[in-house]
Amino acid sequence: MCRRAPLALPSAAVLVGLLAQPGAAVNVPQAAVVSANPADWTPHVLDGKVDAIVQVGDTMVAGGLFTRVANAATPATAIPRSNIFAFDATTGVVDTAFASVLDGEVESLAMAPDGLHVFAGAASPRSTGSPRRVWSSCA
C-alpha cells in the first residue's frame, strides 16, 4: 500500500541537493544506441513506457506510464500493474506480491534510507486544477 503526500518545496530542495551528484556512468558518451531488447530475461511493459528504475536489494522497481507487464518467459500473459512494478534482479520474474497502485505517471524513483522502501515521484492527475507533484512511499 502506498501513502501519498504533496511534495513541499523545502523537501524538493533537499531531495534535489541529495540527487544532484551524478554517478560515474551518467552522461558517458556511447558509440551506439542501446538495443530495443537489451536483455532477454527482463519483464516486458506491454502498453506504455518506463521512466525510472531503482534497485532495492535483490529487487528492481520500475516506474513509468503503463497498465500491463509480462514476464519474459510468458509474454502473452499480462499482469495488471498501475505505473509501478517490481521484479527479481537476478531472474527478471515480476513480483506478484508488489502491486502498488499509483494514479499518475511515475517520473522518478529513489530508495528510502531504510533500504526497504521506495519513494516514487509522480504527477498526480487527481487534484484540483493542474497536476500536482506527489511522492509515494511503497514497501
Side-chain angles (χ1 to χ4, degrees):
M1 177 147 106
C2 291
R3 296 181 303 265
R4 281 194 233 158
L7 180 61
L9 289 178
S11 297
V14 170
L15 183 64
V16 169
L18 291 174
L19 299 177
Q21 301 300 321
V26 175
N27 297 324
V28 175
Q30 302 295 320
V33 176
V34 175
S35 73
N37 183 16
D40 289 333
W41 54 270
T42 59
H44 300 224
V45 171
L46 302 176
D47 63 347
K49 63 178 182 164
V50 171
D51 293 322
I53 192 164
V54 67
Q55 185 165 2
V56 180
D58 294 332
T59 302
M60 303 298 295
V61 179
L65 184 61
F66 49 83
T67 61
R68 299 179 307 127
V69 300
N71 287 310
T74 55
T77 304
I79 303 167
R81 289 294 179 264
S82 294
N83 304 313
I84 191 167
F85 73 99
F87 63 96
D88 185 279
T90 303
T91 66
V93 174
V94 174
D95 181 351
T96 56
F98 184 92
S100 295
V101 176
L102 297 178
D103 61 3
E105 179 176 356
V106 174
E107 298 170 337
S108 58
L109 293 168
M111 182 173 55
D114 65 7
L116 302 173
H117 294 83
V118 171
F119 292 110
S124 176
R126 291 192 185 186
S127 64
T128 306
S130 62
R132 61 188 170 107
R133 301 278 180 211
V134 298
W135 279 97
S136 294
S137 173
C138 304

